[in-house]
Amino acid sequence: MPDLSLSHARTIIATALKTARERSLSPLAVTVLDVGARPIASEREDGAGFLRLDIAHAKAAGAIGMGYGTRDLAKRAAGNPGFYAALYAVSEGGMAPSPGGVLLRNAAGEVIGAVGISGDTGDNDELCAVAGCEAAGLAFDTGA
């Protein structure tokens, strides 16, 4: 599997947004980050709140930083709030423990980036992220 490319990111974003519109979800923001948590591509739909891209970035960056999808991050944060409050502080608010942050992996299982989505419920954000990852032909990990 190749490294994460702009073409992959565009496919993830287009498919995630198409899935959201087909399901009549709230307007979304989607970001795809490389393994260093730097943006490859991002989009915010008309009507999505101005903080949604920041939240999407925090979901993706949190997944990369911790090495597991944000569904697992949310579960772990609920069980150990003191530790995750410290992580939130250390990351200067740069992680969001809510489903919708999905790790992207290469054939060897190594993390090559992440997608983060915000705008609807965490479950729906994650559903759209998974659809995008599948369309791009990338291995992924939601943390489920």
Side-chain angles (χ1 to χ4, degrees), residues 5 13 16 23 37 71:
S5 68
I13 290 169
R23 294 175 174 270
R71 179 166 294 280

Side-chain angles (χ1 to χ4, degrees), residues 1 19 21 30 47 61 64-65 70 75 78-79 93 98 102 108 115 118 121-122 126 129 134 137:
M1 178 184 304
T19 301
R21 290 311 102 237
V30 183
I64 292 168
T70 56
K75 290 177 195 170
S98 175
V102 177
V115 57
S118 179
T121 66
E126 180 181 275
E134 289 174 341

Side-chain angles (χ1 to χ4, degrees), residues 6-129:
L6 178 59
S7 178
H8 289 122
R10 287 179 173 160
T11 298
I12 291 167
I13 290 169
T15 303
L17 295 179
K18 180 178 182 252
T19 301
R21 290 311 102 237
E22 290 170 351
R23 294 175 174 270
S24 299
L25 302 181
S26 297
L28 300 182
V30 183
T31 193
V32 179
L33 307 180
D34 68 15
V35 71
R38 294 173 298 268
I40 295 174
S42 298
E43 287 191 26
R44 181 175 58 91
E45 288 186 295
D46 294 343
F50 74 92
L51 290 176
R52 291 300 181 175
L53 269 176
D54 294 329
I55 297 166
H57 187 280
K59 287 183 180 185
I64 292 168
M66 294 307 293
Y68 41 83
T70 56
R71 179 166 294 280
D72 193 23
L73 186 65
K75 290 177 195 170
R76 291 181 188 207
N80 194 354
F83 177 71
Y84 283 87
L87 285 178
Y88 186 78
V90 167
S91 69
E92 298 177 349
M95 57 187 300
S98 175
V102 177
L103 287 176
L104 301 170
R105 297 186 182 275
N106 65 17
E110 300 163 328
V111 174
I112 59 171
V115 57
I117 299 183
S118 179
D120 204 274
T121 66
D123 289 341
N124 285 333
D125 293 346
E126 180 181 275
L127 180 144
C128 293

